Amino acid sequence: MNVSLCIATYRRPLRLALLLDDLAGQARPPDELVIVDNDPDASAEAVVAERVARGLPFPVRYGRQPVKNISLTRNHSVALASGDWIAFIDDDERAPPYWLQRLCAAVHDYRADGVLGPVIPIVPADAPAWIRRGRFYDWARMPTGNTVPRNRLRFGNLVLRASLLRGATPFDPAYGLTGGEDGDLLARLAQAGARLVWCDEAVVHEPVEATRLALGWLLRRALRGGQDFARHTLAGRYGAKGLGARLRLALRAGVQLLAASLLTLLSLPFGRHHAVHWLTRASANLGKLTIFWGWHYREYA
């Protein structure tokens, strides 16, 4: 396998520096590293130049994409990549030494077109107790080799056959400020027959930023997740689309919103983390309903 590793970065030079150090220590390093900076001020450039000067065991391509749009930034990274396979990792994650080796081994073991792995959140020890007890940042996991359900497909830790991404705009720019471009692309690939499997051993870690240790952030992220689900559902990414799908989605979201709101109140005496769990579920279902009147939460704006 000839693997290009792509990183889209935005104003995280310190996090990016740590990630580059991790990548330099990979048991199976990438054949090239592609970094595309979405900051008009090019805040990543100095970090990349310093690490390249220090010495990295792979060539590095650095590009800029100054228009604030995660889809355009990811598309630019794919355009710069020359490998037969393209891996992706987020700029705020940490990669243990055997991460990429395990992703690539799973491609062969399961004859996959793409392999996804878990992102393990690292919650600070001084985070509020209800945050630490609530497990709000966890990804769903599954046994290695399982096909990943379409509604659980997302970026942050994966490798894909490059030929699947060679269109002009693999990531839809309409998701560029809202997020959800990753689930949209991967669901389209799965619909077209791509085999996307899970490797539970190919772990990366994500230290949770202090700004995310708050109820407001959790509610906004849940709302955006609900909007993503609704947009993908209405576009037919998870099955049939049309009036029937719209009605089913709206009815389920309405019922689940009411149920989650009630459970928020009922669970409050048993601990704030329980109440917040149901409150985020309510926010997610509210997000599904907001799609019907055309409002999108622009997380990356």
Side-chain angles (χ1 to χ4, degrees):
M1 295 175 65
N2 185 290
V3 181
S4 298
L5 174 57
C6 290
I7 302 172
T9 188
Y10 180 76
R11 295 183 179 175
R12 283 175 172 155
L14 298 180
R15 293 286 185 104
L16 179 62
L18 293 172
L19 175 56
L20 292 177
D21 292 341
D22 290 346
L23 298 179
Q26 289 294 298
R28 193 277 188 222
D31 296 282
E32 70 172 358
L33 177 63
V34 177
I35 300 171
V36 175
D37 195 346
N38 196 202
D39 182 4
D41 297 326
S43 56
E45 186 171 23
V47 169
V48 174
E50 191 275 333
R51 288 308 192 274
V52 169
R54 184 188 298 182
L56 291 171
F58 39 74
V60 177
R61 297 186 181 191
Y62 171 80
R64 296 183 189 176
Q65 198 295 107
V67 178
K68 185 178 270 192
N69 187 301
I70 183 61
S71 296
L72 295 179
T73 306
R74 291 197 192 278
N75 284 339
H76 190 42
S77 71
V78 169
L80 292 177
S82 62
D84 299 321
W85 293 81
I86 300 180
F88 296 87
I89 190 169
D90 287 349
D91 62 350
D92 60 344
E93 294 174 350
R94 303 296 305 274
Y98 292 94
W99 163 65
L100 189 58
Q101 182 182 83
R102 287 168 176 165
L103 275 185
C104 293
V107 168
H108 292 290
D109 291 345
Y110 299 100
R111 299 179 181 179
D113 298 302
V115 176
L116 289 75
V119 178
I120 307 299
I122 306 298
V123 178
D126 60 352
W130 66 271
I131 288 274
R132 287 185 280 107
R133 296 175 68 186
R135 305 181 66 88
F136 299 108
Y137 309 91
D138 288 1
W139 283 36
R141 298 176 69 169
M142 62 199 78
T144 296
N146 278 23
T147 299
V148 183
R150 290 185 201 172
N151 63 350
R152 292 187 181 178
L153 292 167
R154 57 175 288 183
F155 270 49
N157 176 9
L158 78 161
V159 63
L160 288 170
R161 193 183 300 275
S163 59
L164 299 176
L165 303 171
R166 291 307 186 200
T169 54
F171 298 93
D172 187 345
Y175 290 91
L177 294 179
T178 63
E181 80 294 338
D182 51 351
D184 172 71
L185 170 67
L186 292 173
R188 283 189 278 120
L189 295 180
Q191 276 185 305
R195 177 168 165 74
L196 305 177
V197 305
W198 186 258
C199 179
D200 205 53
E201 295 76 28
V203 169
V204 300
H205 298 97
E206 182 181 27
V208 180
E209 299 177 6
T211 55
R212 299 183 175 185
L213 300 172
L215 177 60
W217 187 89
L218 292 171
L219 294 180
R220 291 191 296 272
R221 176 52 67 95
L223 184 140
R224 201 210 87 185
Q227 289 191 332
D228 290 348
F229 179 85
R231 293 173 77 180
H232 301 336
T233 298
L234 297 179
R237 303 289 180 244
Y238 304 145
K241 61 179 180 179
L243 181 59
R246 296 176 68 88
L247 291 174
R248 286 191 297 272
L249 176 64
L251 181 60
R252 282 200 304 266
V255 170
Q256 290 170 353
L257 171 58
L258 293 174
S261 300
L262 178 60
L263 287 167
T264 298
L265 297 175
L266 294 175
S267 62
L268 188 56
F270 301 99
R272 184 177 178 183
H273 63 294
H274 289 301
V276 172
H277 167 80
W278 289 111
L279 191 58
T280 57
R281 296 290 183 92
S283 184
N285 283 288
L286 176 62
K288 296 173 188 177
L289 293 174
T290 62
I291 291 301
F292 288 96
W293 59 80
W295 179 72
H296 297 98
Y297 169 51
R298 303 197 303 166
E299 182 173 357
Y300 298 116

